[in-house]
Amino acid sequence: MEKINAIITGIGGYVPDYVLNNEELSRMVDTNDEWIMTRVGIRERRILTEEGLGTSYMARKAAKQLIQKTGVDPDTIDALIVTTSSADYKFPSTASIVLGKLGLKNAFAFDFWAACCGFLYTLDVAASMIQCGRYKKIIVIGADKMSSMVDYKDRSTCALFGDGAAAVLLEATTEQNIGVMDSYFRTDGKGLPFLHMKAGGSVCPPSHFTVDHRLHYLYQEGRTVFRYAVTNMSDDSMLIAERNGLNKDNIDWVIPHQANMRIIEAVAKRLDLPMEKVMVNIEHYGNTSAATIPLALWDNEEKLKKGDNMILTAFGAGFVHGASYLKWAYDGVKAGK
């Protein structure tokens, strides 16, 4: 029996129209363009401002573009997975809402939570589902409406995050040496004090007190998170490169989680790679959490060539971290934005 591999066969993406740039942000909180660019490298971020629209809206837009670009028959989709930290509701799953809006008749859907590592973890799970032979086509969506959990009175975090979504179609193939080749994931488990939302869960349910004390916003101890992110993303990328015989000469692309430009540069330096080989779009989108890596692929799709060696790496709340080795499966096409 031939080995089944899982390959990405298309990408769709969506970012909201509204652009919140540093100049406007500086009128909301005590900050400025130079301070933000020097520390994190973000000039603007997209914000979903329309009332009543959440993460599922962006996820659906990205998936719809994906379906149109690839020409895949929606009735042949086996599963749809949304990875997000900003679900529309506690229940039902955001994925079920997206599936319903898309009218997928023969698929099941579920959400996957792994913070900013969500896309990497979900891609690996979906690849395993395909490699076992039970499923042939799975849509994986990374989507987050980070503006829904950001305190725009907190200068240390409000400049970092934006909203967006991107979707990939993962398909089965018997072609060898292609697709999702290898992954390395770990969870530290000690990250809770440094990056979390204090209220809204079962430990501290919503109340007048939690609302009055602004406990429903993202909390982050930036220095600690930065240090862990640099170390783990660099170490994980080096490990996945070494065990797959990858080096500065045969790595075509590194696609890092877009959290901080200094983290991205540190990972590139550790791999001894020029920045020309690193996908970067943080300047325009900020940190869109689970959407950053697929959005970077979407932005750069036309540059990609079949057989390109890619290392994807991310770090997020938990602390969760890891890296994947992906061998690209098709020559790039225009992103279709």
Side-chain angles (χ1 to χ4, degrees):
M1 183 177 177
E2 289 185 287
K3 179 184 176 183
I4 300 172
N5 289 326
I7 58 172
I8 291 175
T9 57
I11 316 170
Y14 174 79
V15 289
D17 292 331
Y18 183 78
V19 178
L20 175 59
N21 60 32
N22 290 344
E23 181 184 356
E24 182 177 356
L25 197 63
S26 68
R27 298 197 294 268
M28 301 164 60
V29 69
D30 182 19
T31 190
N32 58 67
D33 179 75
E34 182 183 5
W35 190 90
I36 298 170
M37 287 296 296
T38 301
R39 284 161 178 77
V40 294
I42 299 170
R43 194 174 303 280
E44 58 190 26
R45 65 287 295 152
R46 301 296 186 98
I47 305 296
L48 185 64
T49 57
E50 290 83 353
E51 188 175 348
L53 297 182
T55 296
S56 70
Y57 172 79
M58 297 187 293
R60 174 171 58 89
K61 297 281 278 189
K64 187 173 181 180
Q65 186 191 90
L66 169 69
I67 291 169
Q68 291 173 341
K69 283 174 60 179
T70 59
V72 64
D73 180 353
D75 291 345
T76 65
I77 302 298
D78 297 307
L80 183 146
I81 312 170
V82 173
T83 176
T84 184
S85 297
S86 52
D88 282 21
Y89 306 99
K90 288 290 185 181
F91 56 86
S93 71
T94 300
S96 69
I97 299 170
V98 175
L99 180 144
K101 293 288 187 180
L102 293 174
L104 304 185
K105 299 175 182 177
N106 299 310
F108 68 99
F110 61 93
D111 288 358
F112 194 107
W113 283 35
C116 296
C117 261
F119 182 76
L120 281 195
Y121 281 29
T122 308
L123 186 69
D124 198 66
V125 168
S128 298
M129 292 168 64
I130 285 175
Q131 289 160 353
C132 78
R134 292 180 62 185
Y135 309 97
K136 291 183 171 60
K137 296 178 183 178
I138 300 175
I139 292 177
V140 174
I141 307 172
D144 267 302
K145 185 181 176 182
M146 296 303 294
S147 63
S148 67
M149 61 180 78
V150 169
D151 184 353
Y152 286 97
K153 293 184 178 181
D154 178 8
R155 68 175 291 201
S156 66
T157 59
C158 70
L160 305 179
F161 298 96
D163 304 338
V168 300
L169 179 61
L170 206 61
E171 295 194 61
T173 182
T174 54
E175 183 178 353
Q176 299 303 297
N177 195 34
I178 200 80
V180 180
M181 306 296 291
D182 191 16
S183 294
Y184 171 84
F185 301 131
R186 289 294 184 273
T187 301
D188 184 291
K190 299 175 183 176
L192 173 62
F194 311 108
L195 182 53
H196 61 277
M197 184 181 290
K198 296 178 183 294
S202 60
V203 168
C204 185
S207 66
H208 285 295
F209 178 87
T210 64
V211 172
D212 291 343
H213 288 78
R214 308 180 72 81
L215 302 182
H216 292 269
Y217 294 114
L218 178 151
Y219 171 81
Q220 174 175 274
E221 292 187 18
R223 290 184 179 179
T224 301
V225 173
F226 179 89
R227 186 173 69 251
Y228 272 87
V230 169
T231 300
N232 287 302
M233 286 173 64
S234 298
D235 287 352
D236 297 349
S237 297
M238 283 296 297
L239 184 148
I240 209 77
E242 289 172 357
R243 77 182 189 188
N244 288 281
L246 301 173
N247 54 51
K248 63 179 181 179
D249 298 320
N250 58 18
I251 294 174
D252 296 290
W253 296 102
V254 170
I255 305 96
H257 170 50
Q258 310 285 304
N260 185 309
M261 192 62 196
R262 290 187 295 162
I263 297 174
I264 294 170
E265 290 170 344
V267 172
K269 184 176 181 181
R270 183 76 180 274
L271 290 168
D272 194 23
L273 287 177
M275 287 302 294
E276 290 75 23
K277 287 189 172 187
V278 182
M279 289 189 188
V280 180
N281 61 6
I282 188 174
E283 181 178 353
H284 301 295
Y285 299 147
N287 182 352
T288 55
S289 193
T292 67
I293 289 177
L295 275 176
L297 289 170
W298 179 62
D299 262 352
N300 293 276
E301 186 181 10
E302 60 191 80
K303 300 176 185 177
L304 306 180
K305 297 180 177 61
K306 183 174 181 178
D308 278 356
N309 289 317
M310 301 176 167
I311 292 179
L312 287 59
T313 185
F315 175 90
F319 290 132
V320 293
H321 58 92
S324 294
Y325 168 32
L326 190 68
K327 205 169 186 71
W328 198 247
Y330 62 93
D331 290 331
V333 297
K334 288 192 178 295
K337 299 173 188 174

